Amino acid sequence: GGSMKITLIGTSGGYQSSSRACTSYLIQEEGKNIVVDLGPGSLANLQKYIKICEIDAIFLTHYHYDHCSDLLPLIYAVSMQKSSGYQIKPITLYCQNIDSSLSRLICESGSFIPIYIDSTSIIDAFGLMVSFAYTKHAIPCLSMRFAGKDGKVFSFTGDCAYGCDEIGPIIDGSDLAIFDCGELDSSTALIKNHMTPSNCFQLCKNHNVRKAILSHIIPHYDIETYEYEASQFKDWNYIIAYDGYTIDL
């Protein structure tokens, strides 16, 4: 089988910046295209790599706008292309069964085939085994682990505060893990709802993560501060995320 290829489609947290869309990642494996989250601005970026009709499945971590709002124009894209006579099928959407107006809007649109997931689910997505764990977040959010037949593992923490034991097994031994680094160590926030560079470093060391991507970058924080704080720790393999970065596992 082919290896997993990961492309960062959107890496901003909360809202888009002039150079970053909000959270979205593309996993390509054996000719299949799996999208994880589709935050604002990411649908435009995604089409630099694949056509809309080439999306095989979408996995949604949670229903915060900065992770799912581009599903709304995607509803139009699917229905418009269909009515123009294009060959396009409803897209399989793995998401939580939450009773909210937003989730109903998305799941009842007819553009998706919703398949509900929780922390007990195990999904076989075209040969990738996907498992989940709830994170420490304001609303129910799932971290995700994608394990290939070749033993390669890609994981994503979803949105998560530090001190969440549940994500340990998700990121454990990952070849690549994407972290919610939506906070800075130097930030004066009283409660940090996202992780910091030092938190990400600690988790990488504790869980044998081979390469880390620090993502969910906050537009009004200084990117140099992210770089500086992450560089204080020696002997770890990381990058600060940016839209368009691609890696083969």
Side-chain angles (χ1 to χ4, degrees):
S3 66
M4 253 187 282
K5 180 182 192 172
I6 313 294
T7 304
L8 310 186
I9 303 298
T11 58
S12 191
Y15 59 98
Q16 314 94 306
S17 74
S18 61
S19 60
R20 296 172 187 272
C22 284
T23 302
S24 186
Y25 308 112
L26 173 63
I27 306 169
Q28 295 176 291
E29 199 251 0
E30 297 196 340
K32 297 295 184 184
N33 298 304
I34 297 169
V35 176
V36 180
D37 286 350
L38 201 65
S42 62
L43 186 59
N45 279 355
L46 181 63
Q47 292 173 89
K48 295 173 185 172
Y49 305 97
I50 62 171
K51 296 183 180 135
I52 284 169
C53 63
E54 294 173 326
I55 302 171
D56 292 296
I58 300 171
F59 284 81
L60 187 61
T61 59
H62 66 304
Y63 287 101
H64 271 157
Y65 306 153
D66 57 323
H67 290 256
C68 69
S69 74
D70 266 15
L71 290 172
L72 302 179
L74 182 56
I75 292 169
Y76 288 162
V78 173
S79 64
M80 287 167 70
Q81 289 189 18
K82 197 173 166 188
S83 66
S84 297
Y86 287 82
Q87 285 295 316
I88 189 160
K89 300 186 295 295
I91 301 166
T92 302
L93 175 67
Y94 294 96
C95 58
Q96 297 177 72
N97 187 8
I98 304 281
D99 186 26
S100 73
S101 54
L102 180 59
S103 69
R104 284 193 295 274
L105 190 62
I106 292 165
C107 294
E108 294 170 12
S109 65
S111 289
F112 306 115
I113 299 166
I115 295 178
Y116 296 124
I117 51 172
D118 60 29
S119 59
T120 65
S121 306
I122 295 177
I123 302 292
D124 182 344
F126 317 107
L128 292 178
M129 297 311 290
V130 195
S131 50
F132 310 90
Y134 284 111
T135 71
K136 203 168 153 187
H137 197 48
I139 65 170
C141 178
L142 289 168
S143 56
M144 304 185 173
R145 178 182 179 94
F146 296 82
K149 293 201 262 285
D150 58 359
K152 289 284 198 286
V153 172
F154 162 64
S155 61
F156 172 38
T157 65
D159 278 8
C160 190
Y162 191 57
C164 172
D165 293 339
E166 284 73 17
I167 66 166
I170 294 292
I171 64 171
D172 208 58
S174 292
D175 295 281
L176 180 71
I178 298 180
F179 288 88
D180 164 14
C181 192
E183 269 298 351
L184 293 167
D185 290 296
S186 55
S187 142
T188 53
L190 293 174
I191 296 171
K192 295 188 177 178
N193 296 315
H194 303 272
M195 293 183 280
T196 68
S198 73
N199 296 158
C200 297
F201 169 76
Q202 204 53 60
L203 284 167
C204 285
K205 288 291 140 199
N206 294 350
H207 295 285
N208 270 326
V209 173
R210 292 196 178 81
K211 185 179 175 86
I213 294 178
L214 310 191
S215 194
H216 205 272
I217 303 300
I218 306 303
H220 52 269
Y221 285 173
D222 192 24
I223 196 69
E224 281 76 30
T225 311
Y226 275 106
E227 296 281 4
Y228 172 76
E229 291 187 359
S231 71
Q232 296 310 290
F233 305 98
K234 299 300 167 241
D235 184 37
W236 72 313
N237 184 9
Y238 72 90
I239 66 153
I240 308 295
Y242 60 87
D243 294 13
Y245 176 81
T246 294
I247 182 171
D248 287 291
L249 298 193

